[in-house]
Amino acid sequence: MEYQMEKVDANHYTVTRERSDELYGEYTVEIDYSYEAGKWVFEDRSQVERGEGGEMPDTSNALPMKAISGILLTAAGALLLVGRKRLNH
C-alpha cells in the first residue's frame, strides 16, 4: 500500500492514500493524526471522490423500480375500476 505522509507541525501529520474500487471508482483518503498525552491519536478522516465513480456491484438489482411500477399499475387499475362503477350507476 503506497501512501504519502505530510508533516503539518511537530504534533500533527496527514497521511494521504490513493484508492480505487468498484463502488467508488478512484478516490483519495486523507487521515489526520495528532500527538496528544504521549501518544498518536486519530484525529480526522476524509474521502475525496474523483471521476464518475465505478461500476455498480454485481449485487445491485432493479427491485425498487419493479416495486414502484407495481404500485403505479395497481393504482391505475383501482382508478379504472372506480371510474367504471361510476359510469354504470
Side-chain angles (χ1 to χ4, degrees):
M1 290 191 253
E2 295 208 16
Y3 62 90
Q4 297 173 348
M5 188 176 337
E6 179 184 345
K7 181 178 182 178
V8 178
D9 59 44
N11 295 324
H12 184 196
Y13 282 83
T14 299
V15 176
T16 304
R17 182 172 176 218
E18 304 292 325
R19 303 241 9 224
S20 177
D21 61 35
E22 290 182 19
L23 183 60
Y24 295 109
E26 294 183 9
Y27 61 97
T28 303
V29 176
E30 292 182 354
I31 304 172
D32 293 324
Y33 293 96
S34 61
Y35 194 74
E36 298 174 9
K39 60 184 176 180
W40 287 99
V41 179
F42 171 81
E43 188 174 284
D44 188 28
R45 179 183 188 275
S46 62
Q47 179 173 318
V48 178
E49 293 183 28
R50 299 182 321 219
E52 296 288 320
E55 291 183 31
M56 292 294 287
D58 292 338
T59 57
S60 64
N61 61 46
L63 188 59
M65 287 304 294
K66 289 179 182 179
I68 291 171
S69 298
I71 291 169
L72 291 174
L73 285 173
T74 302
L79 289 173
L80 287 173
L81 284 175
V82 169
R84 184 174 176 187
K85 277 189 173 185
R86 287 187 179 179
L87 286 175
N88 288 338
H89 286 115

